[in-house]
């Protein structure tokens, strides 16, 4: 962590290839989750980096990822504005852009196999069922927008062929977190406000 005038203006945290075996887990529910997913060991890496321009009230989250070798990896980046050194004003922080990408190694297939086993159905049929549910237009108020319908189609495609899934938020203007909280009950509104875009299996 680097400080300037008493403020933590940048920082990095990381670890690499920490392995945990099922037999090492003290919690029975965690061991059961390993068993259902067909895992004996997980190998985890994590990294997080940020920069904060206090004068310009801008911050960025970058080079941030969580990877489990046996399951997949998530990478995240974000740009924030109106970031002030005042805890009481954190709700006024604004999201300017964000991107999340999931690279699947085996997580989706393991979850689908576990779900099919629990339901007592054929795994292939179960995959098709889940994909169909994703693609089914919602009839709930505030959820029947063309944008959300397109997102559902993309999620369905990803379930059928799980390689990568990218979620990008590009709001027309920076959006405060307090505004997001107020709009959270209406999915179509918040999706438009955030400039939501979802793509599957793209480079």
């Amino acid at each position: 962590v680097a400080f300037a005038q008493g403020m933590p203006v940048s920082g990095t945290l990381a670890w690499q290839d920490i392995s945990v075996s099922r037999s090492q887990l003290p919690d029975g529910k965690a061991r059961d989750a390993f068993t259902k997913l067909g895992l004996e060991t997980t190998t985890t890496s994590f990294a997080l980096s940020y920069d904060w321009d206090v004068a310009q009230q801008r911050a960025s989250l970058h080079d941030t990822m969580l990877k489990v070798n046996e399951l997949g990896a998530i990478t995240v980046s974000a740009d924030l504005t109106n970031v002030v050194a005042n805890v009481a004003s954190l709700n006024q922080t604004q999201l300017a852009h964000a991107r999340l990408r999931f690279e699947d190694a085996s997580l989706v297939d393991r979850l689908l196999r576990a779900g099919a086993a629990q339901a007592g159905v054929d795994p292939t049929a179960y995959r098709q069922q889940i994909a169909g549910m994703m693609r089914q237009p919602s009839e709930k108020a505030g959820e029947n927008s063309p944008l959300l319908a397109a997102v559902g189609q993309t999620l369905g495609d990803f379930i059928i062929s799980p390689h990568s899934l990218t979620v990008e938020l590009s709001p027309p203007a920076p959006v405060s977190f307090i505004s997001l909280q107020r709009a959270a009950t209406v999915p179509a509104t918040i999706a438009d406000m955030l400039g939501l875009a979802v793509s599957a299996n793209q480079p």
Side-chain angles (χ1 to χ4, degrees):
V1 179
F3 289 83
Q5 297 181 344
M7 295 296 173
V9 296
S10 66
T12 298
L13 171 68
W15 69 73
Q16 186 171 357
D17 293 338
I18 303 298
S19 293
V20 177
S21 67
R22 182 165 62 89
S23 61
Q24 291 176 302
L25 297 172
D27 182 70
K29 290 183 179 180
R31 290 195 300 272
D32 184 55
F34 265 54
T35 299
K36 288 180 178 178
L37 292 175
L39 292 168
E40 286 297 329
T41 304
T42 59
T43 307
T44 304
S45 300
F46 173 77
L48 179 150
S49 296
Y50 77 90
D51 292 295
W52 178 20
D53 187 326
V54 178
Q56 296 295 320
Q57 298 184 352
R58 295 180 178 274
S60 66
L61 183 70
H62 55 89
D63 298 324
T64 295
M65 69 89 184
L66 173 64
K67 180 180 181 183
V68 180
N69 292 358
E70 296 79 5
L71 301 177
I74 295 175
T75 56
V76 180
S77 63
D79 295 313
L80 306 173
T81 62
N82 202 33
V83 183
V84 298
N86 184 341
V87 175
S89 300
L90 285 178
N91 280 341
Q92 299 301 323
T93 298
Q94 297 174 326
L95 177 69
H97 181 263
R99 186 176 188 268
L100 181 150
R101 182 175 175 87
F102 172 62
E103 298 278 354
D104 184 62
S106 71
L107 177 60
V108 175
D109 286 343
R110 290 176 187 270
L111 288 174
L112 290 172
R113 285 198 300 268
Q118 185 173 358
V121 299
D122 175 71
T124 301
Y126 187 77
R127 184 190 297 268
Q128 294 289 343
Q129 178 186 355
I130 297 300
M133 290 171 57
M134 294 291 183
R135 291 167 174 162
Q136 184 68 32
S138 175
E139 296 180 358
K140 294 181 181 179
E143 295 184 13
N144 55 351
S145 73
L147 175 56
L148 293 181
V151 169
Q153 289 291 329
T154 300
L155 293 176
D157 294 343
F158 175 70
I159 294 296
I160 294 297
S161 181
H163 297 292
S164 67
L165 186 71
T166 303
V167 178
E168 191 146 11
L169 306 177
S170 303
V175 181
S176 68
F177 289 121
I178 193 168
S179 296
L180 293 178
Q181 291 173 3
R182 291 169 179 165
T185 57
V186 186
T189 298
I190 198 169
D192 289 335
M193 182 184 295
L194 289 172
L196 173 66
V198 180
S199 59
N201 307 326
Q202 297 296 316

